[in-house]
Amino acid sequence: MTCVSDTGGLSAMNAAERRAHWESWMGVALGEARRALDTGDVPVGALVLDEAGRVIGVGRNEREATGDPTAHAEVLAMRAAAAARGEWRLTGCTLVVTLEPCAMCAGALVQARVRRLVLGAWDPKAGATGSVWDLVRDQRALHEVEVLGGIREDECGALLREFFEARRG
């Protein structure tokens, strides 16, 4: 699956078409989030699309699986994308993720020069891209990231709620 590139596709779409476009990609991220359940990790999935709309990085939370505190879906997807590009700059890329990034991941988005963030559920406890903090659009940051939030929010949020309810129960 490839997305419509920014160079002629997205800008030509109306708002409903753009939303449907991102909802489709969020479905891919949700599939990756569900895979995190196999290792007992919080179900968050992410993918990076390059300027041409190709998937160049995919990740899911793997903190429990690897014992790595930085193994968040966003970080792993960006690492894979950087490896695919052969450089750390992800200029022009879009990160699609099922949960609003935390401060660590928001900082990584800025440092990698990611163009756009498409997120599912907002995180009112630790979100750093518009809810609790807004690190990606802070005027003092080196780079500003466009944020499109609430894409398939109910579905993304339900997956997280079910995971945490099962752990408590």
Side-chain angles (χ1 to χ4, degrees), residues 47-50 54-59 74-90 93-95 112 114:
L47 54 109
V48 177
L49 305 169
D50 69 8
R54 295 178 299 256
V55 175
I56 59 170
V58 177
E74 304 93 310
V75 169
L76 297 177
M78 286 189 287
R79 284 179 186 162
R85 288 185 103 158
E87 67 170 327
W88 61 267
R89 288 177 189 84
L90 299 178
C93 290
T94 298
L95 177 83
V114 170

Side-chain angles (χ1 to χ4, degrees), residues 54-68:
R54 295 178 299 256
V55 175
I56 59 170
V58 177
R60 66 183 173 278
N61 276 359
E62 294 184 9
R63 290 189 311 166
E64 298 298 329
T66 64
D68 178 356

Side-chain angles (χ1 to χ4, degrees), residues 1 7-8 28-29 37 50 60 74 77 84 89 92 96 102 135 145 147:
M1 179 179 205
T7 58
V28 177
L37 294 169
D50 69 8
R60 66 183 173 278
E74 304 93 310
R89 288 177 189 84
V96 179
C102 68
L135 300 178
V145 179
V147 177

Side-chain angles (χ1 to χ4, degrees), residues 79-157:
R79 284 179 186 162
R85 288 185 103 158
E87 67 170 327
W88 61 267
R89 288 177 189 84
L90 299 178
T91 307
C93 290
T94 298
L95 177 83
V96 179
V97 64
T98 58
L99 179 64
E100 179 184 9
C102 68
M104 175 183 70
C105 295
L109 284 164
V110 171
Q111 291 298 315
R113 314 298 195 267
V114 170
R115 176 179 183 198
R116 177 186 301 115
L117 167 67
V118 177
L119 68 92
W122 293 97
D123 185 349
K125 293 182 180 177
T129 63
S131 61
V132 179
W133 300 286
D134 197 353
L135 300 178
V136 297
R137 293 178 287 197
D138 190 302
Q139 292 179 355
R140 297 165 291 188
L142 299 172
H143 171 75
E144 187 173 322
V145 179
E146 174 189 354
V147 177
L148 303 170
I151 306 297
R152 292 177 73 167
E153 182 173 12
D154 291 342
E155 192 175 351
C156 293

